[in-house]
Amino acid sequence: MKILTCPMNGPRNINEFQCFGPVKNDPDPATTSDADWARHLFRVDNSRGVITEWWRHVPSNYFFLAERNATTNEVIRTFTPQDAEARP
Amino acid sequence: MTRLPAPWGHRINRDKPVSFRFEGTKFTGFEGDVIASSLAANDQWMLSRSFKYHRPRGLMSMAGSEADTLVQLPSDPNVQADRHQISEGLLVTAQNVNGSLANDRDAFMDKLGRFMPVGFYYRTFMGPTRNAWLKFWEPLIRKKAGLGVLDTNATHQNYEKANLFCDLLVVGGGAAGLTAAIEAAEAGADVILAEMEPEIGGALTYRRDSSDLLHDLRNRATACPNLRIMTDTLVNGWYEDNWLPLIRGNKLFKTRAVEVILATGAIEQPATFRNNDLPGIMLGSAAQRLMRHYAVKPGNRAVVLAANPDGYRVALDLLDAGVELATVVDPRAGGSGGDLANALHTKGVKTLTGDITEAQGKKHLKSVTADGTRIPCDLLVMSVGSVPMWQLPCQAGAKLSYDQDHARFNLTLPDAPLHIAGSVNGLSSHDAVTTDAIRSAHQVLAQLDLPHRDIAGVEDTEAVLANFEPTITAHPKGKDFIDRDEDIQVKDLQNATREGYRELELIKRFTTVGMGPSQGRHSALAAARIVAKATDRSIAETGVTTARPPFAPETLGVLSGHHHPAERRTALHQEHLRLGADMRPVGAWWRPYFYGDKTDARCLIDEEVRAVRENAGVLDVSTLGGLEVRGPDAGEFLNRIYTMAYKKQPVGRCRYCLMTNEMGTVIDDGVALRLADDLYYVTATTGAVARVYADMLFWNAQWQLDVDVLNVTSAFSGFNITGPNARQVVEALNSNIDFSHEGFAYLEGCEGRVAGVPVRAMRIGFTGELSYELHCPSSHALTLWQAIMEAGKSVSLRPYGLEASRILRLEKGHILIGQDTDALTSPDELGFDWAVSKSKPFFIGKRAIEMRRNKGLPRKLAGLSFDAPRDSQDVPQESCLVLRDNVPVGHVTSSLYSPTLKKHIALAYVHGDDSDTGTQVTLKCRNGKRVNAPVEGHAFFDPDNKRQEV
Amino acid sequence: MPLRLLKYAFSRDYPVTGDIPATPDLKSSYDVVIIGGGGHGLACAHYLSKYHGITNVAVLEKGYLAGGNTARNTTTIRSNYITKEGIAFYKEGVQLYEEMSQELDFNVMFSQRGQLTLAHTEATLRSFHLRAEMGKHAGTNIEVVDAQTVKDLSPHLNMDEGGPLEIMGGLWHADGGTARHDAVAWGYAAQAARRGVEIHQRTEVEGFETDQGRITKVRTNRGDIAAGQVMIAVGGMNYDMAMRAGVELPIRCYPLQAMVTQPLKPWLHTLVSSVSLHTYLVQSSRGEIVIGGGSDPYQLCSTRSTLDMKEHLSEGATHLFPFLQGVRLLRQWAGITDMTPDYSPIMGASPLKNLWLDCGWGTWGFKATPVAGKYMAQTIANGRVAPILEPFTMERFARFELLNEMGATAASH
Ligand SMILES: Cc1cc2nc3c(=O)[nH]c(=O)nc-3n(C[C@H](O)[C@H](O)[C@H](O)COP(=O)(O)OP(=O)(O)OC[C@H]3O[C@@H](n4cnc5c(N)ncnc54)[C@H](O)[C@@H]3O)c2cc1C
C-alpha cells in the first residue's frame, strides 16, 4: 500500500485518505460563457505528468494538496492550501 | 519402504510413521514428509495426468510450482503434493483423471495430439448451427476443463490478518538471505527474514558440501535479538512503498519494510527433448531435495544431464546415496566438469559429451537416448541452468535482460529501497553469494543511517559456468514439452509464430504457455529462446512477459481474512427489538420496518399509518445525518452550499436545505435550524451525510471561510412525534419548552430540557401532520424515548416504522433523494424552483441550473394516482415506464397504495411538455399493460398543508 | 471429432493459416488510418474492408496486437443498461456476438450462459426493475427475479438470510455471456488482413499535423503518413491521443483491476455479480474463476495492481461463495480505463473534419467491440455519424444530455 504524507498527520497508509481530484480553477460566473462553464464542469486535468490534487485525511478531516505523478504514482510533495504561492 | 540412512532425510522423523491414502491405497510415510516424498519412497511416482493429453506426470522440481504435482484433498483442490505435509488419515486423490490415475479413460487424448495443434479450438467447434458452441461443444469442453474439484460444502475456516513493521525485510532464508539478515541485524537494524520452507537454509539444506556453512549461519542467526525469522512464510508479492504480504498458514501479515532485500534464489530449468515429462525425470535440485530432506532415493539407475558444475555435484550425491550412475551427459561442446568430473571418473563414472534427444517409457522412465544410444535407466536428472527468481524483483520494477555471452537473465533494479543478493543476482558459489549478501546488507545499513562499509560487487567464476545456451529444435515426433502445465511442445510455439503470433505476449495468449499454475517458472526461458529463433530476433528483442502478483498461488480466504460488512445500530436497537420490531438493514443501519408479527405486516403497517393520521405516532429518526456548522461565516457558508438563503434566517427558525452539485443535480436535502448567530444545526439524509460532510469541508478548504463543520450524526439520536395528538404527548413531557400552539409555531426550533435530557426541538416532519422532532445526545436516547412513551400513554402513542413512514411521506408527496431523484435531476425537474434562491450571487450548481433551465425541461416529476384494487397488477409500480408514442420518457420513482386515500399513488417523471396538471400520460405496468392517468400535484393528502400548521 | 481438425492430422507439415501477417513497411498514405490495434480498431478495420470496400487501411498499434484493455478485460457481454440509447446500442452488440464466430470463421467462444446481478438492498432492486422495464421495452431478454429464483439459478450462493447483505432478488439477463477476448481481436485482424488491411505492430503514433481543421499527417515512430480519415481507438490513451490533435475530452483514467484463480472443474454456470459488494465472478471455459473488477480510488495511468484491491475482491467473492476461501488465486492485473462523466462512450465526430472518435470505453467497452466497429466503419465510410451513435457525441456534455449509465455499470462491466 502506498504511503501519503499528510502535512498535519505525517506519513499514513493511502487508504486513510480520500482523493478529491485535480485542482480546478474557479472561473468567474459573471464573465464566463456557457461553453466555457460547461468545459469547467466536465473537464479534469488528466495529463500523465505531475498533477496537483486535493486530498482529505479521512479520520482527521484534514484537506491538503498533493503533487503526484499520474503515471509513476510518485508523490512529489504534499502541502497545505494556505501555502498560497505553492498553488499553480 | 526403504529410505536412505541418516543424515540423509533431516526433515523426517523416523520414529513417527504417518499413514494416509492416495487414490484409495494406504501409504505410510514419516512425520515431516510431504505427500510427494512419501509416495516416492513407496515407489509411487505418478501423481497426476496432464491438462490436455492426460499424460502420466510426477514430480519434477520438488519446489511446489508445476501443475503436475497438484493433488486433490477432500475440501481442497490443487494442493501442491511436493509442499503439503502428510498427516494421519489424510485422503489424497489425483486430479484431472477420468476413472483412476493408473487407468485414465482419457489417456487416449495423448494419441490425438495431431488433431489438436496449438490453438485448434479457435478453428473449429463452430458448427453446424449458430449456437452449436453454446449448446454442444462448450458443455463438452467445460467438462474436460479445470483441474481440481471444488467442495461447495467446505466448512468455514478461520483466517487472520496482522500488520508487521521492520527496518529491513529479507525475503528468502538461503545463504544470501541469512547472511544479509544477520549482517544487518548485528549492526542494529530491526530485521525480519521470511522463508517459505519449513526450515531456513534454502539451497544449503540440500546442496552438496553446504552443511558447515548452514550450521554456522544458523548459530549466528539464533544469537541475533533483533532478527525475527519466520519460516513457512511465503512473501507473495511486492506492492508500492515496500508493502509486502507475508503468508503463513491461514494468516496474512501485511508488512511495511523501510528496506527490502530479495534473496529469492534461482529457479532451475528443465531440458527440452521428447518425452521430457515422464515420471522419473527431474531437476538436479529435486533429486537433492528428495535425498537430503526426505531420505528418498530418487531412482536405482540414473543418467545425469549436466551442463554446469551443479550437475556433477548431483551425480556425486547420487553415487553417495547408492544410485547406480549409468552416465553423465554433458551437452556443452568441450564441456567438462573439471575437478568434479575427475572425482566422478575415479569412481568409475563415464561422462559423455552430447545431448539427450528422447526418453522412453510408458508410465515411468525406462531409458533415454543420448547421442543416438539408448541407455536404460529409471532416473534422469537435469542440471542445465537456472533463471533468477524474477517475479518479486520484477513486480517491484526491476527489469529482466538477457546476457547473451553467459546465456542468462540478469536483473536491473529500479532506484528504490530495494536490493537483491545471491543467486537471484546471478551468483552461484558460496563465497560469491556471501560477499554479495554482505554488500547488500551494507547498502541497506547506509540507507538506515547505521554503521556500514562500502563493499564492491563480486565476480563469480562458477556463475559464468552455470548456464549455457542449448539449441532447441522440435523433435519430429513432438512431445518435447516446454510448458508441462499446459502441455505445450516446441512445435506449438514455432507454429504460433508461423500463424503470425510473433510477439511473446501473443504467443503466450495463443498457446497458453506460461498461463498455468507455475506461471512460466519453467517455461519462460525456453519459450523466449524458441521464439527468438523462430522470429529471427535476439532474446533481448523478444523480451519476457510481465510478472504479475501473486508470486505463488494464495487462497482467497487468506486475502479476505475475517471480513464482516459494517453494520450500524441506533441507540434504541434493543428497545425496538423488545417492542417486536421487524428490523431490516437500510444502508449500513438497522431500522424498524414495522412493529409486530411479520405475518400481519400489511395490517400492522396500515394501523401505524392510521395512528399517525388520526392520533399520534413516534418514529426513530436517529439515523438522520446531523451536522453542526459553526463560526462567524456560518450563514455565508450555507448560502454557498445550499440553494436557499440562510444569512437572514432568524435564530430559532428552521429552513429547508436543498443541495445541488456543480452540474445542478439535486444531491441532498435536509433542514437547518439556526441555534445562534454563528451556529446552525443541519440535517442531511442518512445515506448522504458522510459525503455532504466531506464536500462541505472540501469546499471550505477552497473558500477558507471562518466556519467549522462537525458531523454529529452518531452523537445525536432523534424522535419525531407526529399526528393530530402529538401536542398532547409533548406537553405531557416534563420539560422547560413551551410546546403550545402559540409558543412553538410551525418551523420553529429551540434548545431545552426534556425529562432531564438536553434536547434540540423542531416543529418539522415528513408526514404532513403536526410534528415535533426531538434530538438529544445518543447517550440519553433511551431516557428520552421512555419519557416520550410514558407521556404518550394517555393518547396511546404508537411507534411506527419505515414502511409506514414511506406511505405517509408519499401521501404528502415529499421526495426522497436517491429514490425520486437520479444523477441528472435538477431542482426544476422536481418543481422546486421555490427552493432555489434567485437573488444569491452564488451557490454550488447555480450556473448549471440556469443553463439547464434555458434549455427547457426534458422531464418533470409529477404526481399520479390510480383507482384500482389494492392488489391489482394493472397499476404501474416503481420503475414502470412512462411512454410517449411508445418511447420511454420517464419512469415511476415511487408507488404505493395509500390506506388513507384508498388508492394507488405515485410519483413519476413525465415528459417536460406533459407536466401540466390534468395532462394524460401513458404508463406501462410490469405486466405490460398500458394505463393512462392525469398529471397531479405531488401532495395527494392535505394538499394545502393545513394539518401540519395547526 | 470435428472434421476441420482432420487437415491438421493428415497433412505432413503443419498447415499454416497465417492469421496475422508480419508488420509490413509503412506506406506514405492511406485512405483510413486507425490508431489503436485493440478490439475496437480491428473491428472497424474489418467492417470497413468487408462491408464498405475500403481496404487501403492501416491499423497502427504501439505494442503487440490487442495488448491494451482488450487483453485485460473480464469479457462480460450484456445489454442490461438503463438508457434507451445505451440499450439499443448494446443490444445490437450482443446480437453481433451471437454471429461473430461465423462472421470471422474464428471461434470466439461466445458463451451465453446468462448474467445474474444480485440485489442486497431495496434501492438496488428498484434500479433493477427500471433496467428490466427498459430492457423488456427494447426487446432484450431480462427480468427481475425473486430470491428463490436467484437460488435456483446459482444454487451455491450465500443468501445471507436475515443478515446485512441478504439477497433480496436479482436481475436475470439470459442474453449475457462472455467471449474469448483475444480471439475477438485476432479474428477481426485476420479477416481485415485477408482483405488487404495493413496491421502495424510496434508502431506508435506520436502526434499529428493539422491544417484548416483537418489532420494532414499522422506522425509515428516509424515515420509520417498521410491519411484521408483518422480514427482514434487507443483505450487508456484516448485522452492523450485526442489532446495531441487538440481535442479535449472529458475523460479521466483509472486503473481497473481483476484477478483469476487456478482452474477448477466447472461449478459456476452463470455470471454472478453483486452491486453492493462491487464484485463479479465468472468461470472461464478453462475452469478458472475470473473475479472483477475494482477501480482504483484515484486517477492513475499505471497498470500496477494492489494488495488492497485483491483483498477487497476476495472479501466479496468469499462472501457470495464462502467455500471459495480455500481456492487459490493465480494472477491479478490491471488495465487503464478511460472514464467519462456519464459512464458512456464518446463516439462519432470531433472538431477536426477527418478525425473520428471511438473513445471513453472505460470499464465496459469489450461488449461493444463489434457494434462500435460496425457503426464507426459506417460513419467513416459515409462521412456522416451513424444515427445509432448520435447520442454518444462529445457535445452531449455541454448540452447536459448525459447518458447516465452509472447505475448499470457499477456492479459489472
Ligand atoms: C480489468 C478490466 C476488466 C474489464 N472488463 C470488461 C468487461 O467485463 N466487459 C466489457 O465490456 N468491458 C470490460 N473492460 C473494458 C474493455 O476492456 C475496454 O473498454 C475495451 O477493451 C476497449 O477496447 P479498445 O480496442 O477501445 O481499447 P484497447 O483494447 O485498450 O486497445 C487500444 C490499443 O491502442 C494502442 N495504443 C495506445 N496508444 C497508442 C499509440 N500512441 N499509437 C498506437 N497505438 C496505441 C494500445 O497499445 C492498445 O492496444 C474491462 C477493462 C479492464 C481493464
mmCIF file of all heavy atoms in Angstrom, chain C residues 40-52:
data_model
loop_
_atom_site.group_PDB
_atom_site.id
_atom_site.type_symbol
_atom_site.label_atom_id
_atom_site.label_comp_id
_atom_site.label_asym_id
_atom_site.label_seq_id
_atom_site.Cartn_x
_atom_site.Cartn_y
_atom_site.Cartn_z
ATOM 1 N N HIS C 40 -11.500 -2.626 -30.774
ATOM 2 C CA HIS C 40 -12.299 -1.620 -31.476
ATOM 3 C C HIS C 40 -11.678 -1.230 -32.819
ATOM 4 O O HIS C 40 -12.373 -1.171 -33.831
ATOM 5 C CB HIS C 40 -12.487 -0.393 -30.587
ATOM 6 C CG HIS C 40 -13.578 -0.585 -29.576
ATOM 7 N ND1 HIS C 40 -14.756 0.098 -29.611
ATOM 8 C CD2 HIS C 40 -13.657 -1.413 -28.504
ATOM 9 C CE1 HIS C 40 -15.532 -0.286 -28.602
ATOM 10 N NE2 HIS C 40 -14.879 -1.208 -27.912
ATOM 11 N N GLY C 41 -10.379 -0.961 -32.794
ATOM 12 C CA GLY C 41 -9.715 -0.566 -34.039
ATOM 13 C C GLY C 41 -9.797 -1.677 -35.072
ATOM 14 O O GLY C 41 -10.075 -1.436 -36.252
ATOM 15 N N LEU C 42 -9.560 -2.907 -34.630
ATOM 16 C CA LEU C 42 -9.544 -4.035 -35.561
ATOM 17 C C LEU C 42 -10.936 -4.328 -36.102
ATOM 18 O O LEU C 42 -11.106 -4.654 -37.280
ATOM 19 C CB LEU C 42 -8.955 -5.266 -34.861
ATOM 20 C CG LEU C 42 -7.466 -5.103 -34.494
ATOM 21 C CD1 LEU C 42 -7.027 -6.172 -33.506
ATOM 22 C CD2 LEU C 42 -6.594 -5.137 -35.743
ATOM 23 N N ALA C 43 -11.950 -4.197 -35.242
ATOM 24 C CA ALA C 43 -13.318 -4.438 -35.696
ATOM 25 C C ALA C 43 -13.675 -3.415 -36.764
ATOM 26 O O ALA C 43 -14.271 -3.749 -37.793
ATOM 27 C CB ALA C 43 -14.292 -4.354 -34.518
ATOM 28 N N CYS C 44 -13.311 -2.175 -36.535
ATOM 29 C CA CYS C 44 -13.606 -1.128 -37.522
ATOM 30 C C CYS C 44 -12.927 -1.458 -38.853
ATOM 31 O O CYS C 44 -13.530 -1.326 -39.921
ATOM 32 C CB CYS C 44 -13.148 0.217 -36.977
ATOM 33 S SG CYS C 44 -13.453 1.575 -38.101
ATOM 34 N N ALA C 45 -11.672 -1.918 -38.768
ATOM 35 C CA ALA C 45 -10.942 -2.276 -39.987
ATOM 36 C C ALA C 45 -11.669 -3.391 -40.728
ATOM 37 O O ALA C 45 -11.804 -3.375 -41.956
ATOM 38 C CB ALA C 45 -9.524 -2.703 -39.628
ATOM 39 N N HIS C 46 -12.157 -4.354 -39.983
ATOM 40 C CA HIS C 46 -12.889 -5.464 -40.597
ATOM 41 C C HIS C 46 -14.128 -4.957 -41.325
ATOM 42 O O HIS C 46 -14.372 -5.285 -42.494
ATOM 43 C CB HIS C 46 -13.287 -6.471 -39.513
ATOM 44 C CG HIS C 46 -14.341 -7.442 -39.946
ATOM 45 N ND1 HIS C 46 -14.068 -8.487 -40.808
ATOM 46 C CD2 HIS C 46 -15.658 -7.530 -39.650
ATOM 47 C CE1 HIS C 46 -15.184 -9.176 -41.018
ATOM 48 N NE2 HIS C 46 -16.166 -8.614 -40.335
ATOM 49 N N TYR C 47 -14.917 -4.133 -40.638
ATOM 50 C CA TYR C 47 -16.158 -3.663 -41.252
ATOM 51 C C TYR C 47 -15.881 -2.761 -42.449
ATOM 52 O O TYR C 47 -16.583 -2.820 -43.457
ATOM 53 C CB TYR C 47 -17.051 -2.975 -40.212
ATOM 54 C CG TYR C 47 -17.796 -3.989 -39.368
ATOM 55 C CD1 TYR C 47 -17.337 -4.367 -38.118
ATOM 56 C CD2 TYR C 47 -18.956 -4.592 -39.861
ATOM 57 C CE1 TYR C 47 -18.007 -5.311 -37.358
ATOM 58 C CE2 TYR C 47 -19.635 -5.545 -39.112
ATOM 59 C CZ TYR C 47 -19.162 -5.903 -37.856
ATOM 60 O OH TYR C 47 -19.835 -6.844 -37.125
ATOM 61 N N LEU C 48 -14.845 -1.924 -42.332
ATOM 62 C CA LEU C 48 -14.500 -1.066 -43.479
ATOM 63 C C LEU C 48 -14.163 -1.915 -44.693
ATOM 64 O O LEU C 48 -14.636 -1.667 -45.802
ATOM 65 C CB LEU C 48 -13.284 -0.193 -43.135
ATOM 66 C CG LEU C 48 -13.517 1.080 -42.332
ATOM 67 C CD1 LEU C 48 -12.171 1.714 -41.983
ATOM 68 C CD2 LEU C 48 -14.395 2.067 -43.098
ATOM 69 N N SER C 49 -13.360 -2.958 -44.451
ATOM 70 C CA SER C 49 -12.873 -3.733 -45.592
ATOM 71 C C SER C 49 -13.934 -4.672 -46.132
ATOM 72 O O SER C 49 -14.036 -4.881 -47.331
ATOM 73 C CB SER C 49 -11.612 -4.513 -45.201
ATOM 74 O OG SER C 49 -11.915 -5.463 -44.197
ATOM 75 N N LYS C 50 -14.748 -5.219 -45.270
ATOM 76 C CA LYS C 50 -15.707 -6.208 -45.753
ATOM 77 C C LYS C 50 -16.998 -5.580 -46.279
ATOM 78 O O LYS C 50 -17.558 -6.056 -47.261
ATOM 79 C CB LYS C 50 -16.040 -7.203 -44.643
ATOM 80 C CG LYS C 50 -17.017 -8.289 -45.077
ATOM 81 C CD LYS C 50 -17.034 -9.471 -44.132
ATOM 82 C CE LYS C 50 -18.128 -10.463 -44.524
ATOM 83 N NZ LYS C 50 -18.264 -11.541 -43.552
ATOM 84 N N TYR C 51 -17.469 -4.525 -45.630
ATOM 85 C CA TYR C 51 -18.792 -4.015 -45.982
ATOM 86 C C TYR C 51 -18.766 -2.682 -46.720
ATOM 87 O O TYR C 51 -19.770 -2.225 -47.211
ATOM 88 C CB TYR C 51 -19.665 -3.900 -44.733
ATOM 89 C CG TYR C 51 -19.931 -5.248 -44.120
ATOM 90 C CD1 TYR C 51 -19.160 -5.727 -43.065
ATOM 91 C CD2 TYR C 51 -20.939 -6.074 -44.631
ATOM 92 C CE1 TYR C 51 -19.397 -6.980 -42.526
ATOM 93 C CE2 TYR C 51 -21.181 -7.323 -44.102
ATOM 94 C CZ TYR C 51 -20.404 -7.780 -43.045
ATOM 95 O OH TYR C 51 -20.634 -9.015 -42.526
ATOM 96 N N HIS C 52 -17.627 -2.020 -46.706
ATOM 97 C CA HIS C 52 -17.578 -0.718 -47.383
ATOM 98 C C HIS C 52 -16.510 -0.684 -48.463
ATOM 99 O O HIS C 52 -16.235 0.376 -49.018
ATOM 100 C CB HIS C 52 -17.354 0.401 -46.361
ATOM 101 C CG HIS C 52 -18.417 0.433 -45.299
ATOM 102 N ND1 HIS C 52 -19.663 0.963 -45.503
ATOM 103 C CD2 HIS C 52 -18.420 -0.047 -44.032
ATOM 104 C CE1 HIS C 52 -20.393 0.835 -44.406
ATOM 105 N NE2 HIS C 52 -19.664 0.207 -43.504
#
